[in-house]
Structures are given as structure tokens and as C-alpha cells.
Amino acid sequence: MRKEEFLQILRRALTGDVPPGVVEENIRYYDGYIADEVRKGRTEEEVIAEIGDPRLIARTIEDTTDGAGNSRYQSGSGYEYDSGPDMGRDEGGYARSPFDTGRSFHIFAMDKWYGKLLAALVVFGVIYLVFTIIGGIFALLMPFIGPLFMIWLIVTIIRNSGRRR
């Protein structure tokens, strides 16, 4: 694979999933790295074979970039807003939402391994809590269940002995 093809595949894989600045930063990095290695006497093919698949590299970049992978950076996705007279732009050059309070929060991506692990832990935690509560209720009622069963048994025997006569 040649450098131009490598960079084109990497750009395509990153575009829309990470901020444009991250795309350009990584394209510049790999372009410079490949050029430096070629100047040292290696071929482009050798360097690119050593680097690996550009799609895998893009996936790694997406996984390590906050907020990546949610199609936030694609135009027409509903996340980019037109700037009006009272709206500014954030540090990335994107128009801010009129609802932007300046506070940020992190959304767990449930399609990643840690999101699935978190969901499984929550499910197991709820099941454990339910069984613990039910077990606690039975533990509280056990001292009363024995005597109540004996009273019920005596009443049933007395009723049945009266009907047999």
C-alpha cells in the first residue's frame, strides 16, 4: 500500500467520528512519520506494513478520543447548529447550541466493552438486591411461620375430627 492510499483510508475512517482537528493532526503525524522513515532509506510499503491497517489505527484513535464514535462530527446529524447573532463558537470552531450551559458530562457508550460490563453489573446488582430483600423478609417471618403453621394444623385437625362423627 502506498502512503497516499494509507492516508486516504485513515482520513475516511476517522472523518465524522472524531473532531476534524483530530483527523488532521493524525493525518499530519502519519504523513510526517512515513516521510521521515522513507528519508532514512526504507520504502513506503515497509513503513506502512509496520504501522498496520489504517482502519485499526482509526478505531484506536476513536476509542481514545472523548466523545468519538457517535457521529457527532458529521454534518446534517443534528449536532451542529447554525450560529446566530447571540451564539458563539466553542474552542473547536463548532457553533454552540443555544442550550449550552457550559457544563459538560460524559455519556457511557453502551456499544463498547465497558458499557456492556456496566450494564451486566447493574443487572446482577438488581437481582442480588431483590433476592436479599426477599431473603430478609423470610428471615424476619421464620420465627412466626412455625407457630402459625402449628396453630393452623391443630385447627384443621379439630375441624376434621368434628366432621367424621
Side-chain angles (χ1 to χ4, degrees):
M1 177 183 310
R2 303 285 299 168
K3 178 171 79 168
E4 293 79 21
E5 182 183 0
F6 176 87
L7 296 175
Q8 184 181 28
I9 292 170
L10 181 62
R11 182 183 302 276
R12 241 182 298 142
L14 288 174
T15 300
D17 292 328
V18 295
V22 173
V23 174
E24 293 308 316
E25 174 184 339
N26 282 282
I27 295 297
R28 278 193 308 272
Y29 170 79
Y30 284 103
D31 185 27
Y33 178 78
I34 295 168
D36 288 345
E37 292 299 310
V38 168
R39 270 186 253 147
K40 292 178 184 176
R42 299 175 65 192
T43 66
E44 286 183 358
E45 290 81 11
E46 288 174 337
V47 177
I48 291 170
E50 179 185 282
I51 294 172
D53 184 12
R55 291 170 200 84
L56 182 60
I57 293 169
R59 180 65 182 201
T60 304
I61 293 167
E62 289 172 17
D63 288 346
T64 57
T65 302
D66 286 337
N70 58 9
S71 300
R72 172 184 174 159
Y73 303 102
Q74 292 178 350
S75 60
S77 65
Y79 289 97
E80 296 178 358
Y81 298 91
D82 292 331
S83 59
D86 59 344
M87 292 175 52
R89 293 195 172 268
D90 65 8
E91 57 276 352
Y94 291 99
R96 283 198 311 255
S97 163
F99 306 107
D100 187 9
T101 62
R103 289 186 249 161
S104 64
F105 59 93
H106 182 76
I107 299 173
F108 284 103
M110 297 304 285
D111 60 337
K112 300 199 183 212
W113 69 269
Y114 55 83
K116 292 175 184 172
L117 177 64
L118 179 65
L121 289 174
V122 167
V123 167
F124 285 121
V126 168
I127 291 171
Y128 176 78
L129 185 64
V130 167
F131 278 109
T132 302
I133 290 171
I134 291 172
I137 291 171
F138 277 123
L140 288 174
L141 294 179
M142 266 322 201
F144 302 109
I145 291 176
L148 287 175
F149 180 73
M150 292 302 288
I151 293 171
W152 174 79
L153 189 60
I154 293 170
V155 169
T156 304
I157 292 173
I158 293 173
R159 283 188 186 162
N160 286 338
S161 66
R163 291 183 187 166
R164 292 185 185 185
R165 288 187 192 174

